[in-house]
Amino acid sequence: MASRIIPVDPFDLVVFGGTGDLARRKILPALFRRFCAGQMEEGTRIIGAARSDMDDAEYRAFVAEALIEFNGDHSGCEPGTITRFQQILSYVTLDARGDKGWGELAAKMHPGRVRAFYFSVGPSLFGDLALRLHQHGMADHDTRIVVEKPFGRDLASARALNKALADHFDESQIYRIDHYLGKETVQNLMALRFGNMLFEPLWNSHYVDHIQITVAETVGVGGRGDYYDRAGAMRDMVQNHLMQLLCLIAMEPPAKFDPDAVRDEKLKVIRALGEVDPAQIVRGQYLEDEDKPGYLEHVENPKSLTESFIALKLHVINWRWAGTPFYVRTGKRLKARTSEIAVVFKEAPHNIFDQDSGRHRNILTIRLQPNEGIDLDVTIKEPGPGGMRLVDVPLDMTFTEALGPDAEDVPDAYERLIMDVVRGNQTLFMRGDEVEAAWAWTDPIVAAWEEREDKPLSYETGSSGPDEALALMHKDGRKWRDIRA
Ligand code: NAD
């Protein structure tokens, strides 16, 4: 099965913050890989724009270095591809808050083609960039802007950002990126749910006991301590990434696979989220480990109350999910780097087998990383003599196994999402009202623990978080899945 590359018409893409960490690690390597795959037609241009003084030649060298450092194995590209890619790059020294560079940037734009402006800068500059794009005549119908997280730190700041963008751009031009949504498995979750007859009839509280969502990291906050300490796991991960995953699991089938139809359904899920009982929240901070500093050594405030781990039990209060809890957890310095969603079905209503055959449940696991794929645990008879002994085995659908080597070549999340921007497809991007609804749900939870100065529990590096997080499920007679790579 050959992967299909559909080239897109030549476009102009400007990366504001084109010398920053995100541009070097993610955006430029993603653009390079699409270039290498043959998806960019001749004439496409990528323009870095940032504060540093550089000319085109210096920027091209800077990008080539970043590609070598962060692109991993690009052996699939023809020799000389980096040199050809460099030819489509240029650079403008520009100040988002002043006039410097804007005339030069405007003069580089080709009229009548798609323009995408990637705001790879802190959110405090979003409004300045939107305003100046408008003032310099670069905000026409074919203009799209891409903004990164964090999109606010509460409802008020998210509203202010939405307004600053909406003053100059229509919602249909704004692409709020959440790279989790660009993952192949996440889209496959929609294909699985809405392209098969098998799952949807069972996708409700009659058949689903509970759902677990885990996003575990092994790294600590590293050099991002300043930012992270103002955010914490709830704001940095749950409000956006985990919430988006929860929406895709819990939403009703949209009438069609169209950006607003999908986002309308996701929004309904967020609005149906119930208040969370503080007893159903476990917050943690990682301890130091041998040569690795603990959370409090990573951040400026030695008495910080910010969580680097959170587990919570949520309810989507609607007809479909009444009585089926969602357990979500995310944290740093955990046992393994893994992200997965597990849909745990109820037990069969009556056991016709020997009582010793144990309790068995079907579990559908959607693995986001590593080894993107989907497993369905089914119960079968253990082979051989000795009676009816039951055992759970996975029906494994690792994409590379099921679809052959071409599945290894699928674009990564940033590649897919950037090309979706160019194509004008907003399905996998968050709409302004979704982001605001997510903050409206998050704010009172955070405010409550801030008000009572809730102290996070300590946990060991390499663990599954504080023991209390395990107890959160144990007391319901349930168990978290093991965190393993
Ligand atoms: P960074 O500090 O490494 O880079 C910032 C970039 O913005 C630089 O290119 C700088 O020149 C430019 N810049 C700053 N002030 C400017 C001004 N007045 N005018 C023009 N350009 C200006 O930051 P980063 O890590 O690349 O992050 C950028 C944004 O993306 C931040 O909001 C960050 O939270 C978000 N983000 C970053 C990552 C990541 O992995 N680095 C991941 C997710 C989200």
Side-chain angles (χ1 to χ4, degrees):
M1 194 196 60
S3 48
R4 282 186 307 140
I5 303 284
I6 304 170
V8 291
D9 289 342
F11 58 90
D12 290 344
L13 189 146
V14 177
V15 186
F16 290 119
T19 58
D21 180 64
L22 181 67
R24 289 173 66 241
R25 286 197 306 115
K26 299 287 181 190
I27 303 170
L28 292 161
L31 287 165
F32 173 73
R33 286 194 293 272
R34 288 295 88 208
F35 178 83
C36 164
Q39 205 164 20
M40 293 183 197
E41 290 279 23
E42 178 125 19
T44 291
R45 282 155 352 131
I46 296 165
I47 304 160
R51 262 192 315 201
S52 324
D53 274 322
M54 268 194 212
D55 59 21
D56 290 349
E58 285 167 324
Y59 191 60
R60 286 171 182 157
F62 168 90
V63 174
E65 239 172 66
L67 294 179
I68 290 161
E69 188 175 351
F70 295 109
N71 198 36
D73 176 20
H74 51 264
S75 52
C77 299
E78 283 173 19
T81 309
I82 292 193
T83 312
R84 284 197 296 116
F85 183 64
Q86 283 178 309
Q87 299 315 306
I88 73 168
L89 297 172
S90 62
Y91 183 78
V92 176
T93 304
L94 169 145
D95 183 5
R97 293 220 157 104
D99 290 329
K100 185 172 179 177
W102 287 95
E104 191 188 337
L105 183 65
K108 279 181 181 267
M109 296 291 110
H110 278 114
R113 60 158 69 168
V114 166
R115 291 170 190 173
F117 294 93
Y118 203 124
F119 290 14
S120 180
V121 294
S124 61
L125 296 180
F126 289 178
D128 296 290
L129 291 176
L131 169 71
R132 286 187 169 74
L133 283 172
H134 179 80
Q135 285 173 338
H136 289 270
M138 285 180 271
D140 70 10
H141 291 308
D142 284 328
T143 299
R144 285 138 209 190
I145 59 172
V146 186
V147 292
E148 267 291 340
K149 82 169 202 185
F151 200 82
R153 71 182 308 278
D154 53 21
L155 178 58
S157 53
R159 271 192 183 142
L161 284 177
N162 273 337
K163 177 165 184 328
L165 299 179
D167 283 345
H168 308 291
F169 293 94
D170 187 70
E171 181 62 35
S172 63
Q173 298 177 286
I174 305 171
Y175 291 71
R176 294 176 196 77
I177 211 160
D178 183 327
H179 66 275
Y180 275 66
L181 294 182
K183 288 188 183 285
E184 191 71 9
T185 347
V186 169
Q187 292 162 74
N188 248 309
L189 170 59
M190 287 191 272
L192 190 84
R193 280 195 62 191
F194 306 129
N196 293 286
M197 195 53 208
L198 192 60
F199 298 105
E200 201 49 29
L202 306 179
W203 209 262
N204 54 57
S205 58
H206 296 298
Y207 300 100
V208 177
D209 178 72
H210 71 277
I211 289 163
Q212 304 184 15
I213 305 178
T214 298
V215 175
E217 297 177 278
T218 48
V219 293
V221 296
R224 291 172 72 223
D226 274 0
Y227 155 73
Y228 195 90
D229 202 41
R230 277 178 277 118
M234 183 72 171
R235 288 186 171 108
D236 187 50
M237 297 296 291
V238 177
Q239 183 273 345
N240 40 56
H241 306 311
L242 280 86
M243 175 81 78
Q244 289 294 319
L245 299 180
L246 185 147
C247 284
L248 296 177
I249 286 280
M251 73 185 191
E252 296 300 314
K256 47 190 172 169
F257 192 58
D258 146 292
D260 277 326
V262 171
R263 296 184 303 174
D264 286 346
E265 295 306 334
K266 281 162 56 198
L267 178 62
K268 286 184 208 161
V269 173
I270 303 173
R271 290 189 172 151
L273 281 172
E275 277 177 33
V276 184
D277 175 353
Q280 309 287 5
I281 304 177
V282 176
R283 301 169 64 239
Q285 257 178 9
Y286 58 82
L287 292 166
E288 62 181 295
D289 177 50
E290 292 172 9
D291 50 340
K292 291 190 193 139
Y295 182 82
L296 294 177
E297 283 85 48
H298 262 146
V299 298
E300 252 174 41
N301 176 5
K303 295 197 172 147
S304 169
L305 297 176
T306 303
E307 75 287 354
S308 60
F309 172 95
I310 187 163
L312 59 172
K313 177 180 174 185
L314 313 179
H315 291 280
V316 177
I317 304 184
N318 63 15
W319 191 297
R320 183 186 286 262
W321 294 115
T324 295
F326 289 70
Y327 298 89
V328 308
R329 67 179 163 170
T330 180
K332 296 195 173 289
R333 283 275 192 87
L334 298 177
K335 215 168 150 184
R337 177 169 179 257
T338 180
S339 302
E340 66 163 44
I341 304 168
V343 180
V344 181
F345 289 89
K346 293 186 173 172
E347 286 170 38
H350 169 63
N351 183 4
I352 64 166
F353 303 108
D354 194 329
Q355 289 308 316
D356 293 343
S357 62
R359 299 168 64 185
H360 296 272
R361 284 184 167 160
N362 299 121
I363 302 178
L364 181 75
T365 313
I366 299 118
R367 292 191 310 269
L368 277 70
Q369 68 189 17
N371 311 324
E372 283 196 56
I374 295 173
D375 282 342
L376 176 64
D377 283 2
V378 290
T379 304
I380 60 164
K381 176 188 169 299
E382 205 175 297
M388 198 64 171
R389 295 188 314 272
L390 301 185
V391 61
D392 295 333
V393 294
L395 290 181
D396 188 342
M397 219 177 65
T398 305
F399 295 146
T400 46
E401 280 169 22
L403 303 173
D406 281 335
E408 285 175 21
D409 293 336
V410 292
D412 80 6
Y414 271 95
E415 291 173 64
R416 170 182 306 273
L417 292 173
I418 294 172
M419 295 321 281
D420 277 357
V421 173
V422 175
R423 286 196 209 91
N425 183 351
Q426 289 187 303
T427 311
L428 300 175
F429 295 82
M430 294 175 293
R431 212 167 50 190
D433 51 2
E434 270 183 81
V435 177
E436 290 187 16
W439 280 121
W441 175 80
T442 309
D443 278 0
I445 300 173
V446 175
W449 75 53
E450 284 181 352
E451 197 182 303
R452 61 172 195 274
E453 300 193 350
D454 186 69
K455 191 168 175 334
L457 304 159
S458 302
Y459 63 94
E460 304 281 345
T461 291
S463 68
S464 303
D467 289 346
E468 286 76 356
L470 304 179
L472 185 70
M473 288 194 79
H474 276 161
K475 65 187 178 204
D476 293 346
R478 300 182 173 112
K479 204 168 135 222
W480 287 107
R481 287 163 60 78
D482 193 19
I483 296 180
R484 66 194 144 129

